[in-house]
Amino acid sequence: MTGRLIIASNRIAAPGAPRAGGLAVALADALAERGGGVWFGWSGEVLERETRGVRLFAENNIDFALADLTQAEYDGYYLGYANRALWPVFHYRTDLAHFDEADFAAYEAVNRRFARLLAQFIRPDDIVWVHDYHFLLMGAELRASGWEGRIGFFLHIPFPAPEVFASLPQHHRLARSLCSFDLVGFQTERDTANFRRYLVEQLGAQLLDDGTIQVADRSLRADTFSIGVDPDDIARAAESDEARSAAGRLGRITENRALVIGVDRMDYSKGLPQRMEAFGRMLDDHAELHGGVSFLQIAPPSREAVDAYQDLRQQLDQLAGRINADYADLDWMPIRYLARSYSRDALAGLYRLSRAGIVTPLYDGMNLVAKEFVAAQTADDPGVLVLSEFAGAADQLTAALLVNPHDIAASADAIYRALTMPLEERVERWQDMIRSVRDQDIGWWRRSFLAALDAAVVPA
Ligand code: ADP
């Protein structure tokens, strides 16, 4: 391939900033592997009125192209349509969605403006890889700006059932734009099937035998590329000084009690109240574990989710307060709930210290925490993963204890089972899970997506 790789994502890992997230590293690697390219996205800056056009920075072989948002764009496009309409609907929470025409107008305008900025510096043999729900209209807008080269799209969150997607007043526009891409990638087979069914039922698409989807005059492919982590890097992180120090600090408090850990962004998709209830229920049912187990939940709020977060925060405070009041003793606190974030290395150390990781979203695209927990364990004494059947990761981590997060009694049983599981079974389950985490790691994800995009047939 001669062309450059151009990545467009809402947020980018800016030059000089540490690339903490696995995704940021993976995309930087993808650019490096192709011998260079451009990473285009929002600078993270919000300016009162005027924006400054694209600012370019070079780092090694990568050119970073950063665009700002105005306050009005940030409010309408980002906080509004992306976070208050698309995020809830795609996570099956239509009850929390705000359908505001002005927000959609801002979303459309930012997608258009960003597509035009991008179109200024792409060359005919480049390939463009657009990421996530912030840029659903980027396909249509790039084509409208005259771009005819290859474009791929990857959705990091779930694609809901067609009936749920159709609750968005602009669903036809969004879906038609997705059909402007040559390849659309999803986290799970269920997401891919939902998208295909939507196209057939709503846009009269034809599914051809070779896997191509024909919609009006466009043909595209839709496939599953489950995102992974870098297990070696996480294992290294779990042995770092910071990991040891974090585990040491926590270990001094929990002493020799078994530790159950949950790590999430504070979000209503993560099932946090249900998880606390399940832990409380397990204590109700198993007096023999009183004083012997502690649950640590780390869940920092995101700045953007202020409204939804306040209710959730109150709910969690109440639940943790009640359970601790019922069961805590002079020398034991059943639930520790920390609304702050920790570094990757520190988290890896805490995962390793834990007997059980509890990852029970009500609905989630993949959930990388589940894979990170597995990767941080040691082979001779691994912890057990309790995983929601509605996390994308459940398709691959079938040796986890899979639960329906709405079923509090079953979740309580699973936590109990995790805490009492014999070593032999823990090792067996972990080996099964780590194999999948290794086989389909983050490198596999980006390589398989890009190979499929390279192979996509671009109409002459
Ligand atoms: P989401 O994308 O919805 O946040 P993921 O489970 O895929 O869910 O998490 C994304 C990344 O954010 C993971 O790499 C995870 O380690 C990190 N992360 C999640 N919660 C925290 C936290 N409380 N502190 C630090 N990092 C976190």
Side-chain angles (χ1 to χ4, degrees):
M1 272 299 128
T2 49
R4 300 170 305 170
L5 171 62
I6 314 291
I7 289 176
S9 60
N10 178 59
R11 292 302 295 269
I12 72 173
R19 296 227 168 88
L23 179 63
V25 174
L27 296 182
D29 284 354
L31 289 163
E33 211 167 74
R34 282 183 99 95
V38 182
W39 194 346
F40 169 71
W42 174 36
S43 62
E45 284 190 51
V46 179
L47 306 182
E48 205 40 56
R49 271 197 208 10
E50 294 290 313
T51 54
R52 293 173 287 197
V54 173
R55 281 171 293 136
L56 292 168
F57 298 87
E59 191 187 69
N60 303 324
N61 272 339
I62 305 173
D63 290 320
F64 289 86
L66 285 73
D68 311 309
L69 292 177
T70 65
Q71 187 65 47
E73 286 176 335
Y74 178 72
D75 291 343
Y77 147 79
Y78 185 72
L79 295 183
Y81 200 71
N83 282 351
R84 281 202 293 266
L86 296 175
W87 178 271
V89 168
F90 281 47
H91 288 87
Y92 288 84
R93 293 300 302 269
T94 46
D95 58 317
L96 296 177
H98 293 261
F99 301 120
D100 184 316
E101 280 175 44
D103 284 351
F104 179 72
Y107 181 84
E108 186 182 25
V110 169
N111 271 256
R112 180 167 303 149
R113 187 164 75 79
F114 275 39
R116 286 179 181 164
L117 289 171
L118 184 56
Q120 284 172 11
F121 57 79
I122 42 185
R123 305 177 198 142
D125 59 348
D126 289 341
I127 65 167
V128 181
W129 187 6
V130 178
H131 289 263
D132 226 1
Y133 62 103
H134 309 94
F135 286 154
L136 296 174
L137 293 177
M138 191 72 107
E141 295 296 343
L142 272 174
R143 297 293 182 211
S145 73
W147 172 253
E148 291 173 352
R150 281 192 183 83
I151 37 177
F153 177 83
F154 186 79
L155 184 67
H156 292 259
I157 63 176
F159 191 87
E163 298 73 17
V164 175
F165 181 63
S167 66
L168 286 157
Q170 304 82 10
H171 63 98
H172 277 147
R173 287 279 305 283
L174 300 170
R176 283 208 189 89
S177 173
L178 286 175
C179 294
S180 306
F181 291 97
D182 301 296
L183 172 67
V184 182
F186 297 97
Q187 298 276 29
T188 67
E189 294 294 342
R190 183 166 42 196
D191 299 323
T192 306
N194 282 340
F195 178 66
R196 287 164 165 264
R197 181 157 75 85
Y198 174 90
L199 295 185
V200 169
E201 291 174 4
Q202 294 269 350
L203 300 185
Q206 279 188 299
L207 307 179
L208 308 185
D209 288 344
D210 67 353
T212 307
I213 305 171
Q214 192 73 44
V215 191
D217 59 344
R218 289 272 326 149
S219 59
L220 69 146
R221 299 188 73 94
D223 269 310
T224 308
F225 305 89
S226 307
I227 198 166
V229 296
D230 179 342
D232 294 336
D233 192 51
I234 293 164
R236 265 194 305 277
E239 314 220 314
S240 65
D241 290 345
E242 214 179 325
R244 286 177 204 278
S245 145
R249 281 172 66 197
L250 181 61
R252 275 197 295 281
I253 300 167
T254 56
E255 295 176 326
N256 48 7
R257 294 187 179 98
L259 185 67
V260 177
I261 194 166
V263 174
D264 304 79
R265 277 183 311 103
M266 169 133 2
D267 190 273
Y268 47 80
S269 63
K270 302 294 181 183
L272 297 170
Q274 290 83 350
R275 187 183 304 178
M276 275 195 191
E277 280 186 43
F279 186 76
R281 173 71 176 260
M282 193 215 50
L283 294 178
D284 295 343
D285 294 345
H286 295 283
E288 74 277 17
L289 288 183
H290 294 181
V293 55
S294 292
F295 173 33
L296 173 67
Q297 175 64 55
I298 296 175
S302 55
R303 191 165 35 87
E304 296 86 18
V306 180
D307 299 342
Y309 144 73
Q310 272 176 350
D311 290 349
L312 193 56
R313 172 72 194 258
Q314 234 174 20
Q315 228 182 330
L316 295 178
D317 285 346
Q318 274 172 8
L319 276 166
R322 176 178 63 71
I323 296 165
N324 280 338
D326 280 352
Y327 291 113
D329 208 336
L330 295 174
D331 59 352
W332 174 54
M333 187 72 97
I335 299 187
R336 305 179 76 80
Y337 159 43
L338 308 179
R340 51 163 291 178
S341 89
Y342 289 86
S343 72
R344 254 164 65 78
D345 285 5
L347 288 179
L350 300 180
Y351 294 146
R352 182 165 284 196
L353 184 69
S354 301
R355 171 50 56 90
I358 171 153
V359 181
T360 48
L362 305 180
Y363 216 89
D364 216 338
M366 176 50 59
N367 203 297
L368 292 172
V369 169
K371 295 184 174 181
E372 290 163 357
F373 176 82
V374 170
Q377 302 305 310
T378 54
D380 56 349
D381 187 21
V384 180
L385 180 65
V386 176
L387 180 63
S388 165
E389 62 188 81
F390 303 118
D395 286 5
Q396 295 164 301
L397 305 181
T398 49
L401 295 180
L402 294 177
V403 294
N404 171 354
H406 300 282
D407 188 338
I408 305 297
S411 303
D413 280 351
I415 300 171
Y416 177 75
R417 226 181 123 194
L419 288 169
T420 52
M421 188 179 285
L423 177 63
E424 199 183 334
E425 185 180 349
R426 282 194 276 132
V427 169
E428 221 169 87
R429 286 176 179 274
W430 180 77
Q431 280 174 345
D432 191 310
M433 292 191 285
I434 193 72
R435 198 174 311 120
S436 144
V437 169
R438 283 192 186 125
D439 283 353
Q440 300 192 325
D441 68 357
I442 188 76
W444 169 86
W445 171 76
R446 67 177 155 79
R447 279 190 294 271
S448 49
F449 184 93
L450 288 173
L453 182 55
D454 280 335
V457 179
V458 179

